[in-house]
């Protein structure tokens, strides 16, 4: 179990070195599910076949085969919840969109084990280990905390000195909400809009720094003109356009 956990965490870390967080979580889910399938096809089923063959042939079956199958089946039992979480994780940027996403994945594995341990014990008539609730809650709080720790600002995500004024404007928070809500599904590092694979024209509008750096374009494309969003697919309201105009004209 320990070896398996270390392997999963190492793979999780490795994936985040090569892929974006969203893709890393999906790959980690696929990796975990592959291990689970392999447990069934290479250990659990073949061992059972051997045991059945022995019983049919009147030979006493090797108890080690059953033990090994039970161990792998327990591994799979512990992995079911984390694998579900990882399969659905691409809907939850708060889980994968942080520098600590691989640690979050590691903690999700532990929470999965705790939850299963509770039910396994209960179903085996060994009582209800309520301490698992407390442990899972603590791990969950750590995850919430990790998911909101800001990334250390890099050159790219820091607001440049010349753009500070756009971020400092008192209506900036409202402008940012508008832009995140109406534009960033296409204009992001990993666009969520079907069919858009990278930020159109490399215009990213997903962080304060990017929004400030494109203040003038936002003003022109969505404030003064109605060029963006295309065909107003994201239904930006006239008041939101007016807000963008007021923000840019108030600052420049
Ligand atoms: C449905 C996806 C989508 C949404 C939502 C969207 N855009 Fe765009 N945006 C595009 C595409 C596609 C282009 C490239 C258009 C082209 O090349 O003709 C583009 C181009 C731009 C450009 C560059 C224009 C240029 O000619 O250099 C800016 C600036 C821009 N968008 C701002 C915004 C703003 C601001 C919002 C929100 C109010 C927004 N976009 C919402 C898809 C979108």
């Amino acid at each position: 179990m320990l070896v398996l956990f270390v392997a999963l965490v190492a793979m999780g870390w490795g994936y985040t070195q090569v892929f974006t967080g969203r893709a890393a979580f999906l790959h980690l889910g696929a990796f975990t599910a592959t291990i689970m399938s392999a447990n069934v096809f290479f250990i659990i089923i073949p061992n059972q076949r051997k045991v059945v063959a022995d019983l049919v042939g009147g030979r006493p079956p090797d108890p080690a085969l059953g033990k090994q199958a039970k161990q792998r089946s327990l591994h799979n039992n512990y992995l079911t919840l984390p694998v579900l979480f990882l399969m659905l994780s691409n809907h939850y940027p708060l889980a994968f969109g942080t520098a600590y996403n691989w640690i979050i994945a590691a903690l999700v594995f532990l929470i999965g084990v705790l939850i299963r341990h509770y039910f396994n014990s209960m179903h085996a008539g060994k009582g209800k280990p309520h301490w698992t609730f407390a442990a899972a809650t603590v791990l969950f709080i750590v995850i919430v905390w990790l998911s909101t720790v800001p990334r250390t600002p890099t050159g790219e995500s820091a607001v440049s000195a010349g753009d500070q004024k756009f971020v400092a404007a008192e209506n900036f928070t409202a402008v940012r909400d508008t832009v995140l809500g109406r534009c960033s599904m296409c204009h992001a590092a990993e666009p969520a809009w079907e069919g858009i694979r990278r930020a159109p024209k490399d215009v990213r509008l997903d962080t304060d720094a990017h929004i400030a750096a494109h203040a003038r374009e936002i003003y022109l494309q969505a404030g003064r003109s109605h060029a963006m969003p295309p065909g107003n697919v994201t239904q930006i309201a006239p008041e939101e356009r007016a807000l963008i105009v007021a923000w840019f004209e108030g600052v420049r």
Side-chain angles (χ1 to χ4, degrees):
M1 204 63 224
L2 208 64
V3 171
L4 181 57
F5 181 65
V6 170
L8 289 170
V9 174
M11 283 307 279
W13 179 83
Y15 283 133
T16 59
Q17 303 306 301
V18 200
F19 298 120
T20 59
R22 174 180 271 142
F25 270 34
L26 271 184
H27 276 280
L28 186 58
F31 177 72
T32 313
T34 307
I35 293 181
M36 293 169 74
S37 314
N39 278 338
V40 171
F41 287 114
F42 298 123
I43 305 290
I44 300 174
I45 293 183
N47 283 15
Q48 197 207 10
R49 288 229 174 93
K50 284 181 211 152
V51 170
V52 170
D54 281 343
L55 288 175
V56 170
R59 297 177 299 270
D62 181 358
L65 292 173
K67 265 196 185 149
Q68 194 192 25
K70 182 161 185 268
Q71 178 204 40
R72 297 306 176 93
S73 137
L74 184 69
H75 288 180
N76 281 7
N77 171 289
Y78 283 159
L79 293 176
T80 37
L81 297 174
V83 103
L84 279 177
F85 175 84
L86 292 168
M87 283 162 71
L88 299 174
S89 63
N90 62 342
H91 295 289
Y92 303 105
L94 274 177
F96 62 72
T98 126
Y100 305 106
N101 45 15
W102 63 277
I103 306 181
I104 292 181
L107 298 180
V108 165
F109 279 113
L110 293 182
I111 293 183
V113 172
L114 286 168
I115 297 175
R116 290 309 321 171
H117 178 67
Y118 176 82
F119 286 103
N120 292 348
S121 307
M122 191 173 83
H123 293 148
K126 292 185 191 155
K128 299 178 176 178
H130 286 296
W131 62 267
T132 54
F133 288 29
T137 307
V138 169
L139 293 181
F140 189 72
I141 291 171
V142 174
I143 288 180
V144 170
W145 178 71
L146 283 177
S147 83
T148 48
V149 179
R151 273 174 182 272
T152 17
T154 61
E156 198 202 4
S157 61
V159 184
S160 74
D163 291 335
Q164 283 294 349
K165 54 183 197 268
F166 290 112
V167 176
E170 57 170 303
N171 50 7
F172 178 72
T173 326
V175 169
R176 179 180 50 204
D177 288 348
T178 303
V179 172
L180 290 181
R182 309 289 183 190
C183 321
S184 69
M185 53 289 278
C186 296
H187 291 281
E190 294 176 56
W193 197 270
E194 177 100 41
I196 303 249
R197 287 196 194 80
R198 48 173 302 158
K201 296 212 162 169
D202 246 352
V203 175
R204 275 177 59 184
L205 303 173
D206 49 356
T207 64
D208 288 6
H210 286 126
I211 293 173
H214 291 112
R216 186 179 159 75
E217 283 110 312
I218 297 173
Y219 165 71
L220 291 177
Q221 301 280 337
R224 296 306 295 248
S225 84
H226 291 191
M228 283 289 144
N232 201 8
V233 275
T234 53
Q235 297 171 357
I236 186 169
E239 307 81 65
E240 291 173 316
R241 295 199 193 270
L243 170 74
I244 289 173
V245 171
W247 167 64
F248 185 78
E249 292 185 349
V251 172
R252 69 168 169 187

